[in-house]
Amino acid sequence: MAHVLPDLPYPYDALEPYISRQIMELHHKKHHQTYVNSLNAAEAAYAKASTPKERIALQAALKFNGGGHINHSLFWKNLAPAAEKNGLGGTIKDGPLKTAIEAAFGSLENLKKEFNAATLGIQGSGWGWLGYNKTTKRLEIATTANQDPLLHLVPIIGVDIWEHAFYLQYLNVKADVRHPN
Amino acid sequence: MSNTLPDLPYAYDALEPFISRQIMELHHKKHHQTYVNAMNAAEAAYAKAATPKERIALQAALKFNGGGHINHSLFWKNMAPPASEKKGNGGVLKDGPLKTAIESAFGTFDNFKKEFNTTTAAIQGSGWGWLFRVGQGLNPSTKRLEIVTTANQDPLLTHVPIIGVDVWEHAFYLQYLNVKADYLNAIWSVINFEEAEKRFLEGNGASKL
């Protein structure tokens, strides 16, 4: 059963001015589509593989492209048009999430500060995550490299910090990248 | 002794149309400069570190920023204004020891380019593609060429780098967007094969860092 590229839940320009239409189009229609295509190819090859060695040799492609598909599918859904466009993006209402954030980080501002520091600290390509630890029942910040999916926490918010996610709009100034999420 | 950003050996627009002035300016004045600044800060911190644990904790910053400085310093020198635009010697591989070694290792130059580009395009994340020399000493018959990739800003440690190509997205995205393969095809027109041959013939590697 082949994987398919999920539709964006909003038009390509809906996240402006925070993320440009040009970035959203390339990111969704080219980058994510490529992960989907390559995942399908890797899974087809894996189904045909007949030895442990062949299967192990395919692991990297499955992890990279499977991770790319998982991560980007979560990403599109955890973004939304900003309040200035009558969307929900960027607004956190009172409720269990806000309470949990304040319990773990003190304030939303503190979460943002710590999250951004961790994400900017990635040495290469990767993702920043706010995740839920089911054992401690607390929110934590984590990063994953390249397209590694978040495995040890339940992903709540993920931010793509690969250069393709921001470079056309923010150039090298990673710290300026803003998301309405 | 602080590390400093080396000057480019050519103007920012010299590699056009293959690599845009905008990319060269950002890549050199922002990205490479940041590696230099961060490396100096990490080295200063390391000099002050009093315990093995503190020193180990600084290793990642030294490797990432030191590697970034080493790799980019090699990169600027292994490019040159394109001969195809009559701006320099970029892209021209003359008959000589390097050409002979490439043909002996890969069959033809085109085959070498194909393998290099395929291997480099396959990096899953950020990194560099390298042509490097295996074999010590000045005996040409013991020098063999191979292709390898390094992740993120890991420098090439165990072999002599001949040619390095940056495939971090900042190296090409503004001009080539997601089409990495087009960038990898284009960059061969600005590779400085004379510098590459010098590295090939020297026994001790091109990086003095």
Side-chain angles (χ1 to χ4, degrees), chain A residues 22 26-27 30-31 60-61 64-65 122-125 146 162-165 167-168 171-172, chain B residues 22 26-27 30-31 60-61 64-65 123-126 152 168-171 173-174 177-178:
Chain A
Q22 184 191 28
L26 285 164
H27 205 173
K30 302 290 180 186
H31 291 273
F64 182 64
N65 296 293
I122 292 172
Q123 295 180 338
S125 304
N146 303 322
W162 279 63
E163 287 169 331
H164 65 241
Y167 209 87
L168 291 175
L171 302 177
N172 61 300
Chain B
Q22 184 190 28
L26 284 164
H27 205 173
K30 303 290 180 183
H31 291 274
F64 182 64
N65 296 294
I123 292 172
Q124 293 180 341
S126 304
N152 304 321
W168 280 62
E169 287 170 332
H170 64 242
Y173 209 87
L174 291 174
L177 301 178
N178 61 301

Side-chain angles (χ1 to χ4, degrees), chain A:
Chain A
M1 237 260 302
H3 300 278
V4 293
L5 180 69
D7 288 332
L8 285 190
Y10 34 74
Y12 285 108
D13 62 358
L15 305 185
E16 290 190 343
Y18 303 99
I19 308 183
S20 69
R21 179 182 55 76
Q22 184 191 28
I23 286 181
M24 291 305 290
E25 285 203 40
L26 285 164
H27 205 173
H28 183 248
K29 292 196 283 197
K30 302 290 180 186
H31 291 273
H32 189 175
Q33 181 72 73
T34 300
Y35 290 124
V36 170
N37 298 344
S38 302
L39 175 61
N40 287 334
E43 286 188 340
Y46 200 90
K48 291 205 185 78
S50 51
T51 66
K53 188 168 165 189
E54 284 173 45
R55 285 188 277 267
I56 291 167
L58 284 163
Q59 279 186 357
L62 285 167
K63 180 161 110 161
F64 182 64
N65 296 293
H69 181 38
I70 290 167
N71 294 339
H72 288 87
S73 300
L74 287 169
F75 190 46
W76 310 135
K77 292 206 287 191
N78 83 205
L79 297 169
E84 54 250 51
K85 294 205 177 183
N86 297 320
L88 302 168
T91 306
I92 182 162
K93 298 197 172 116
D94 290 337
L97 177 61
K98 188 163 187 234
T99 306
I101 286 174
E102 287 168 352
F105 301 100
S107 65
L108 179 64
E109 277 315 300
N110 236 44
L111 162 65
K112 278 197 215 173
K113 218 167 111 202
E114 280 192 42
F115 184 99
N116 287 358
T119 304
L120 288 172
I122 292 172
Q123 295 180 338
S125 304
W127 290 73
W129 300 96
L130 176 67
Y132 177 67
N133 184 326
K134 289 201 274 199
T135 310
T136 62
K137 297 196 174 18
R138 275 173 73 84
L139 292 174
E140 289 176 26
I141 290 166
T143 60
T144 54
N146 303 322
Q147 291 299 349
D148 293 358
L150 185 62
L151 293 175
H152 70 288
L153 302 171
V154 178
I156 308 295
I157 293 171
V159 172
D160 189 349
I161 208 77
W162 279 63
E163 287 169 331
H164 65 241
F166 63 87
Y167 209 87
L168 291 175
Q169 185 173 358
Y170 293 92
L171 302 177
N172 61 300
V173 194
K174 239 191 315 193
D176 278 1
V177 181
R178 298 278 173 267
H179 293 95
N181 58 4

Side-chain angles (χ1 to χ4, degrees), chain B residues 71-85:
Chain B
N71 294 338
H72 289 86
S73 300
L74 287 170
F75 189 46
W76 309 134
K77 293 205 289 191
N78 84 205
M79 292 193 292
S84 64
E85 309 290 307

Side-chain angles (χ1 to χ4, degrees), chain B residues 126-206:
Chain B
S126 304
W128 290 73
W130 301 95
L131 175 68
F132 69 96
R133 197 197 80 194
V134 184
Q136 297 304 310
L138 300 171
N139 183 346
S141 67
T142 63
K143 295 189 217 285
R144 207 176 68 247
L145 293 176
E146 288 182 24
I147 294 167
V148 77
T149 59
T150 54
N152 304 321
Q153 291 300 349
D154 294 356
L156 193 59
L157 290 174
T158 52
H159 301 97
V160 177
I162 311 291
I163 293 169
V165 172
D166 189 347
V167 276
W168 280 62
E169 287 170 332
H170 64 242
F172 64 87
Y173 209 87
L174 291 174
Q175 185 174 359
Y176 293 94
L177 301 178
N178 61 301
V179 195
K180 214 176 1 178
D182 283 357
Y183 160 68
L184 288 171
N185 278 326
I187 198 166
W188 293 102
S189 297
V190 292
I191 293 295
N192 184 345
F193 288 104
E194 285 182 24
E195 170 71 12
E197 186 161 76
K198 257 190 356 187
R199 294 173 185 176
F200 175 70
L201 295 171
E202 283 169 11
N204 58 350

